[in-house]
Amino acid sequence: QVQLVESGGGLVQAGGSLRLSCAASGRTFSISSSPMGWFRQAPGKEREFVAAMSWSSISTYYTDSVKGRFTISRDNAKNMVYLQMNSLKLEDTAVYYCAASSSHFYSGGYYSQPNRYDYWGQGTQVTVSS
C-alpha cells in the first residue's frame, strides 16, 4: 500500500512563501520511478493541476498561473517531493494534494490530468491572506 502525506501548509500573507512536502511510503514504492504531481482545490472549484515532475526529474510542468513562482523538486533518497511556493497570491488559497503514478507517462499532456495518478495524499491547507 502506498501512502502520501503532505505537510507544510499554513497561513501566509500575500507575497510570502511556503514549502510543501510530500512523504511517500510503501513496501515496494519509490518515487524515483514515479511521475509526481501537485494539485490543488479551492472551495467550490474543481481540483486543478499545479506542478509535476517526470520520474527522471528531467522534465517539469507547471500551470501558467504559478510559473516563475512555484518550483517542484524531489529527493529520491528520502522518498520526498517538495513544492516551493514564492510570491504567494490570494488566489493560491486551496487544499494542496500530492499525487503519484505507478507508471511512467509517455506524453507531456498526461501530467496535468488527475485521473492519470494512482495515489493521492490527504491534502494540506494553504491560506493566503491580504
Side-chain angles (χ1 to χ4, degrees):
Q1 183 155 347
V2 176
Q3 276 196 318
L4 302 176
V5 179
E6 303 95 335
S7 61
L11 176 64
V12 63
Q13 284 193 322
S17 299
L18 281 176
R19 187 195 196 203
L20 303 184
S21 299
C22 173
S25 62
R27 180 177 291 184
T28 59
F29 179 77
S30 172
I31 68 166
S32 63
S33 59
S34 301
M36 300 296 297
W38 286 96
F39 290 76
R40 66 187 179 188
Q41 187 166 18
K45 295 187 176 182
E46 292 187 355
R47 189 168 299 190
E48 67 169 351
F49 169 73
V50 177
M53 176 177 279
S54 63
W55 68 271
S56 64
S57 301
I58 291 176
S59 300
T60 56
Y61 305 86
Y62 298 93
T63 191
D64 286 345
S65 63
V66 308
K67 284 179 181 177
R69 300 189 298 121
F70 291 12
T71 303
I72 187 172
S73 62
R74 66 167 77 203
D75 184 333
N76 290 339
K78 296 181 178 179
N79 238 17
M80 297 285 293
V81 180
Y82 305 99
L83 185 68
Q84 178 67 42
M85 305 187 296
N86 298 328
S87 302
L88 283 161
K89 303 177 180 180
L90 296 178
E91 53 264 39
D92 293 320
T93 295
V95 177
Y96 283 71
Y97 298 91
C98 175
S101 171
S102 59
S103 57
H104 294 178
F105 293 163
Y106 294 100
S107 169
Y110 287 2
Y111 287 89
S112 62
Q113 300 173 15
N115 62 342
R116 296 289 179 179
Y117 294 83
D118 303 295
Y119 310 109
W120 292 84
Q122 83 291 346
T124 185
Q125 176 71 47
V126 172
T127 303
V128 184
S129 65
S130 59

PDB file of all heavy atoms in Angstrom, residues 5 11 13 51 64 68 94 107 111 113:
ATOM      1  N   VAL A   5       1.835  11.626   2.288  1.00  0.00           N
ATOM      2  CA  VAL A   5       1.440  12.504   3.376  1.00  0.00           C
ATOM      3  C   VAL A   5       2.037  13.882   3.137  1.00  0.00           C
ATOM      4  O   VAL A   5       3.269  14.041   3.118  1.00  0.00           O
ATOM      5  CB  VAL A   5       1.911  11.963   4.735  1.00  0.00           C
ATOM      6  CG1 VAL A   5       1.496  12.918   5.853  1.00  0.00           C
ATOM      7  CG2 VAL A   5       1.348  10.567   4.980  1.00  0.00           C
ATOM      8  N   LEU A  11      -1.018  29.398   7.096  1.00  0.00           N
ATOM      9  CA  LEU A  11      -1.497  30.735   6.777  1.00  0.00           C
ATOM     10  C   LEU A  11      -0.300  31.633   6.490  1.00  0.00           C
ATOM     11  O   LEU A  11       0.642  31.686   7.287  1.00  0.00           O
ATOM     12  CB  LEU A  11      -2.307  31.280   7.954  1.00  0.00           C
ATOM     13  CG  LEU A  11      -2.810  32.719   7.849  1.00  0.00           C
ATOM     14  CD1 LEU A  11      -3.798  32.856   6.701  1.00  0.00           C
ATOM     15  CD2 LEU A  11      -3.445  33.155   9.159  1.00  0.00           C
ATOM     16  N   GLN A  13       0.906  35.547   4.500  1.00  0.00           N
ATOM     17  CA  GLN A  13       0.466  36.782   3.866  1.00  0.00           C
ATOM     18  C   GLN A  13       0.811  36.762   2.381  1.00  0.00           C
ATOM     19  O   GLN A  13       1.777  36.095   1.961  1.00  0.00           O
ATOM     20  CB  GLN A  13       1.124  37.983   4.530  1.00  0.00           C
ATOM     21  CG  GLN A  13       0.521  38.339   5.882  1.00  0.00           C
ATOM     22  CD  GLN A  13       0.970  39.700   6.363  1.00  0.00           C
ATOM     23  OE1 GLN A  13       2.114  40.086   6.167  1.00  0.00           O
ATOM     24  NE2 GLN A  13       0.062  40.429   7.002  1.00  0.00           N
ATOM     25  N   ALA A  51       1.663  21.496 -10.521  1.00  0.00           N
ATOM     26  CA  ALA A  51       3.028  21.226 -10.982  1.00  0.00           C
ATOM     27  C   ALA A  51       3.255  19.723 -11.007  1.00  0.00           C
ATOM     28  O   ALA A  51       2.588  18.975 -10.295  1.00  0.00           O
ATOM     29  CB  ALA A  51       4.047  21.889 -10.061  1.00  0.00           C
ATOM     30  N   ASP A  64       0.141  27.688 -15.876  1.00  0.00           N
ATOM     31  CA  ASP A  64       0.620  29.031 -16.212  1.00  0.00           C
ATOM     32  C   ASP A  64       0.606  29.986 -15.015  1.00  0.00           C
ATOM     33  O   ASP A  64       1.495  30.824 -14.876  1.00  0.00           O
ATOM     34  CB  ASP A  64      -0.231  29.619 -17.338  1.00  0.00           C
ATOM     35  CG  ASP A  64       0.087  28.988 -18.682  1.00  0.00           C
ATOM     36  OD1 ASP A  64       1.131  28.316 -18.806  1.00  0.00           O
ATOM     37  OD2 ASP A  64      -0.724  29.163 -19.621  1.00  0.00           O
ATOM     38  N   GLY A  68       7.248  30.518 -12.627  1.00  0.00           N
ATOM     39  CA  GLY A  68       8.117  31.563 -12.122  1.00  0.00           C
ATOM     40  C   GLY A  68       7.974  31.810 -10.630  1.00  0.00           C
ATOM     41  O   GLY A  68       8.787  32.527 -10.038  1.00  0.00           O
ATOM     42  N   ALA A  94      -5.949  27.241  -1.234  1.00  0.00           N
ATOM     43  CA  ALA A  94      -6.569  25.971  -1.628  1.00  0.00           C
ATOM     44  C   ALA A  94      -6.017  24.859  -0.744  1.00  0.00           C
ATOM     45  O   ALA A  94      -5.062  25.067   0.004  1.00  0.00           O
ATOM     46  CB  ALA A  94      -6.277  25.649  -3.096  1.00  0.00           C
ATOM     47  N   SER A 107       3.527  10.948 -22.440  1.00  0.00           N
ATOM     48  CA  SER A 107       3.049  12.166 -23.079  1.00  0.00           C
ATOM     49  C   SER A 107       3.061  13.276 -22.041  1.00  0.00           C
ATOM     50  O   SER A 107       2.611  13.097 -20.915  1.00  0.00           O
ATOM     51  CB  SER A 107       1.632  11.974 -23.613  1.00  0.00           C
ATOM     52  OG  SER A 107       1.084  13.210 -24.013  1.00  0.00           O
ATOM     53  N   TYR A 111       0.565  14.710 -17.503  1.00  0.00           N
ATOM     54  CA  TYR A 111       0.941  15.169 -16.167  1.00  0.00           C
ATOM     55  C   TYR A 111      -0.120  16.037 -15.508  1.00  0.00           C
ATOM     56  O   TYR A 111      -0.204  16.077 -14.281  1.00  0.00           O
ATOM     57  CB  TYR A 111       2.268  15.917 -16.226  1.00  0.00           C
ATOM     58  CG  TYR A 111       3.444  15.008 -16.440  1.00  0.00           C
ATOM     59  CD1 TYR A 111       3.866  14.679 -17.727  1.00  0.00           C
ATOM     60  CD2 TYR A 111       4.115  14.455 -15.357  1.00  0.00           C
ATOM     61  CE1 TYR A 111       4.932  13.820 -17.928  1.00  0.00           C
ATOM     62  CE2 TYR A 111       5.196  13.607 -15.548  1.00  0.00           C
ATOM     63  CZ  TYR A 111       5.595  13.291 -16.835  1.00  0.00           C
ATOM     64  OH  TYR A 111       6.648  12.436 -17.023  1.00  0.00           O
ATOM     65  N   GLN A 113      -3.361  15.703 -15.824  1.00  0.00           N
ATOM     66  CA  GLN A 113      -4.642  15.006 -15.739  1.00  0.00           C
ATOM     67  C   GLN A 113      -4.732  14.207 -14.434  1.00  0.00           C
ATOM     68  O   GLN A 113      -4.017  13.231 -14.255  1.00  0.00           O
ATOM     69  CB  GLN A 113      -4.806  14.074 -16.935  1.00  0.00           C
ATOM     70  CG  GLN A 113      -4.781  14.790 -18.265  1.00  0.00           C
ATOM     71  CD  GLN A 113      -4.769  13.837 -19.453  1.00  0.00           C
ATOM     72  OE1 GLN A 113      -5.052  12.651 -19.309  1.00  0.00           O
ATOM     73  NE2 GLN A 113      -4.443  14.362 -20.631  1.00  0.00           N
TER      74      GLN A 113
END
